[in-house]
Amino acid sequence: MQEALFAADTNPDIALITLVKDVDLDMEELTVLGGSFTLDLNGYTLSTNDTFLFYLDGNDSTPLNLVIDDSSLSKTGTIRASDSVFIAHNQTNEINLTLAGGTLESESFLIDLTSSGNKTAATLTLAGGNLLTEQPATINAGGASVTVIGNGVP
């Protein structure tokens, strides 16, 4: 999975990464540097027991435009982490994260866009999908722009 994310950063022809089975990363996280692509959950689950699953590092020279979607008929695609699903850190470049479908699930923050870098370089768009957490704090924006389109949060 990490190889596919690095390939999407360096190869602009990769616009879609589709899960074809459940992926359990155990105690690993995934680093996303840059690029523009969609992660299609396709009804499957991507999970980790680590603190967070996606480490969005906007220090790459390429802006990051990541769309999470679930093209499956069942709409059961899920991303699950023990603490935060997405965390941005030290971004100096633009990070655009869009939830178009699928379910984000964690014990505390689902999305943490605070960082010690350029806090206003991140945008989050909720255009669909579900947000499930055991804590009341679902999104920690920390200066990022957050947009909800239509019924983006059930």
Side-chain angles (χ1 to χ4, degrees):
M1 185 73 194
Q2 184 64 69
E3 293 82 16
L5 294 172
F6 282 149
D9 174 36
T10 58
N11 185 346
D13 293 332
I14 297 176
L16 178 66
I17 298 172
T18 303
L19 292 184
V20 294
K21 65 179 183 174
D22 290 336
V23 178
D24 182 358
L25 298 172
D26 191 32
M27 292 298 293
E28 294 181 49
E29 71 267 352
L30 298 169
T31 300
V32 185
L33 298 174
S36 296
F37 60 95
T38 297
L39 174 59
D40 182 359
L41 301 173
N42 194 29
Y44 295 100
T45 298
L46 177 60
S47 63
T48 186
N49 291 320
D50 202 345
T51 305
F52 54 88
L53 181 53
F54 286 96
Y55 179 83
L56 306 177
D57 188 350
N59 284 325
D60 191 49
S61 61
T62 307
L64 171 60
N65 297 295
L66 174 58
V67 177
I68 304 298
D69 204 355
D70 181 10
S71 66
S72 70
L73 294 176
S74 63
K75 301 300 180 199
T76 55
T78 303
I79 298 176
R80 183 178 301 123
S82 64
D83 184 35
S84 296
V85 175
F86 294 96
I87 187 166
H89 183 70
N90 291 331
Q91 72 259 26
T92 55
N93 212 336
E94 189 176 337
I95 294 176
N96 300 302
L97 175 62
T98 300
L99 178 62
T103 298
L104 303 185
E105 187 177 310
S106 78
E107 293 176 13
S108 66
F109 291 114
L110 289 169
I111 302 166
D112 187 352
L113 296 176
T114 61
S115 76
S116 58
N118 182 358
K119 296 180 183 187
T120 60
T123 62
L124 169 65
T125 303
L126 301 174
N130 299 297
L131 304 175
L132 301 175
T133 183
E134 296 177 15
Q135 303 295 323
T138 304
I139 299 170
N140 189 0
S145 170
V146 178
T147 304
V148 178
I149 299 172
N151 192 21
V153 181

